[in-house]
Amino acid sequence: MEDHNRSRLRATRVLPVRPIPGIAEDAATGLLGEPRSIPPKYFYDERGSRLFDAICETREYYPTRTEEKLLVEYSNDIMSVVRPDHIVEFGSGAARKTRHLLSACDQHKETVAYWPFDVCEAMLLESGRRLVEEYDWLRVNALVGDYLGGLADLPRPAGNCLFLFLGGTIGNFTEPQAQQFLDEVRAVMVDGDYLLLGADRVKDADVLHAAYNDADGLTAEFNLNVLQVLNRELDADFEETCFEHSAVFNNEASQIEMYLVSRQRQSVHVGVLDETLQFAEGDKILTEISRKFTPVSLESMLEAAGFRIERHLEPNNGYFSLLLARPVGQGFPGGL
């Protein structure tokens, strides 16, 4: 049985088609300029990943459980319409929510191949092992790489594909970055393919504020942990106690902005860059944006990339959207 499972799991490296900056280059660009910033991908070391999992369980952090409830409710209907031969997921992580779609395939007695695409091979293989044990018909073709490096080298399996981009991650991109990513996804799609996109919605500012400033302080820990990543990777000497977490909703830009704010006047040496950063009290480092969308802005973003929304799934409170979309010009076979 173990050999059978192993034969249904493999990993392939996807080469970037454009340079992907490393942490030293990102730090040089973001920390030495104004305003200061560091990309949010550096949140997710081992401790940061554990903290994020804990954040998803907090009372205040609605996005993960809201999206999962939509998948629980609609996965069977989605899969009966899409009927894919393959599921390709960008930023798959542990594939927790994807299981609802795989279980729908199981229920319909249909098989798919799963292609999770993420940067950590060990995580992909561990997740893949659990999936092939759970679904005895499943083949997992793990794709190791950074989808931000472009998709021109992405394997194109024969048959219809359902592309997944869940979790509201599209909101962590600036508008030009989101448009470029969706353009690149559209470019690899063929007739019969679908995109399932998760996106967080504009809502009451108090709800948003609470979600990124939970009472247990886990989001603050998660944000501050990036300083330890910078210390470890860049031979820096950031002191966590000299910074505080701040997350605010920028109403004009419709986005949460997460910062590390200097509590005092201080100097921080970054050995790999051979630079000393000077901070005044109140100086900020932007660590993440999380854009929030309206139905109109979602439709506009997808239309600009050559998609038509076939189904817009949302809870009664309108907190989150699951969008099932197809490239413009393809036929529409009926729906949910």
Side-chain angles (χ1 to χ4, degrees):
M1 178 63 71
E2 187 174 337
D3 288 342
H4 173 64
N5 288 345
R6 193 159 40 234
S7 71
R8 293 184 290 119
L9 172 63
R10 66 172 183 170
T12 302
R13 189 161 294 277
V14 179
L15 299 176
V17 295
R18 56 176 173 265
I20 301 172
I23 190 169
E25 187 176 346
D26 280 331
T29 302
L31 295 181
L32 300 183
E34 289 292 342
R36 289 189 171 112
S37 65
I38 196 75
K41 64 181 179 180
Y42 299 115
F43 282 138
Y44 298 98
D45 66 346
E46 183 178 352
R47 179 170 181 255
S49 296
R50 288 200 309 270
L51 284 167
F52 183 72
D53 286 344
I55 289 166
C56 292
E57 300 298 326
T58 62
R59 177 181 56 82
E60 299 95 335
Y61 195 76
Y62 63 86
T64 299
R65 63 175 171 269
T66 305
E67 183 180 44
E68 188 153 18
K69 285 180 180 177
L70 289 171
L71 287 166
V72 168
E73 182 174 358
Y74 291 109
S75 282
N76 283 330
D77 293 332
I78 290 169
M79 299 310 283
S80 67
V81 170
V82 177
R83 304 178 70 88
D85 301 297
H86 307 272
I87 295 175
V88 182
E89 182 169 13
F90 302 108
S92 55
R96 184 174 72 177
K97 286 177 285 191
T98 315
R99 280 176 165 78
H100 300 298
L101 296 166
L102 296 175
S103 293
C105 291
D106 205 35
Q107 184 172 326
H108 287 284
K109 307 299 182 186
E110 296 181 356
T111 60
V112 298
Y114 179 47
W115 302 71
F117 190 0
D118 220 317
V119 294
C120 180
E121 183 172 359
M123 177 186 63
L124 286 167
L125 291 176
E126 177 58 31
S127 172
R129 275 190 288 270
R130 291 196 296 268
L131 289 173
V132 297
E133 288 172 2
E134 187 172 348
Y135 304 99
D136 60 10
W137 47 265
L138 183 65
R139 290 187 177 275
V140 176
N141 304 302
L143 301 173
V144 185
D146 189 336
Y147 55 78
L148 296 180
L151 303 179
D153 194 48
L154 186 74
R156 172 68 227 195
N160 295 339
C161 291
L162 172 62
F163 292 90
L164 305 180
F165 197 45
L166 302 175
T169 306
I170 194 72
N172 297 137
F173 296 167
T174 64
E175 187 173 348
Q177 288 169 341
Q179 211 62 63
Q180 179 181 33
F181 174 72
L182 291 171
D183 287 344
E184 291 178 346
V185 173
R186 172 65 182 88
V188 301
M189 295 177 73
V190 300
D191 186 54
D193 289 348
Y194 286 82
L195 169 67
L196 186 64
L197 176 71
D200 200 9
R201 294 272 291 277
V202 172
K203 55 186 64 66
D204 187 272
D206 289 341
V207 175
L208 290 168
H209 184 269
Y212 293 85
N213 295 276
D214 62 278
D216 293 332
L218 292 170
T219 309
E221 280 189 65
F222 175 70
N223 195 11
L224 287 160
N225 182 64
V226 78
L227 297 177
Q228 296 307 313
V229 175
L230 296 176
N231 286 347
R232 184 173 62 248
E233 300 296 328
L234 298 178
D235 186 26
D237 57 4
F238 286 94
E239 290 285 346
E240 275 195 33
T241 56
C242 296
F243 290 85
E244 63 184 358
H245 161 76
S246 173
V248 296
F249 183 60
N250 181 332
N251 188 65
E252 184 176 346
S254 291
Q255 64 188 28
I256 285 283
E257 295 170 357
M258 200 149 76
Y259 296 96
L260 291 170
V261 183
S262 179
R263 294 176 176 269
Q264 62 194 53
R265 185 176 182 85
Q266 58 179 306
S267 299
V268 177
H269 184 68
V270 183
V272 167
L273 302 182
D274 193 24
E275 294 280 354
T276 298
L277 310 178
Q278 302 295 335
F279 290 88
E281 182 180 353
D283 281 355
K284 300 176 182 178
I285 302 172
L286 176 67
T287 54
E288 183 179 64
I289 65 167
S290 184
R291 294 166 62 215
K292 310 302 175 185
F293 299 91
T294 65
V296 171
S297 66
L298 285 168
E299 183 176 4
S300 175
M301 178 176 68
L302 284 163
E303 283 186 352
F307 289 96
R308 171 179 163 182
I309 297 173
E310 185 167 352
R311 288 294 181 270
H312 187 160
L313 309 172
E314 59 182 348
N316 291 335
N317 60 14
Y319 272 21
F320 199 90
S321 291
L322 272 180
L323 302 150
L324 186 64
R326 298 185 75 183
V328 171
Q330 296 184 12
F332 295 88
L336 308 180

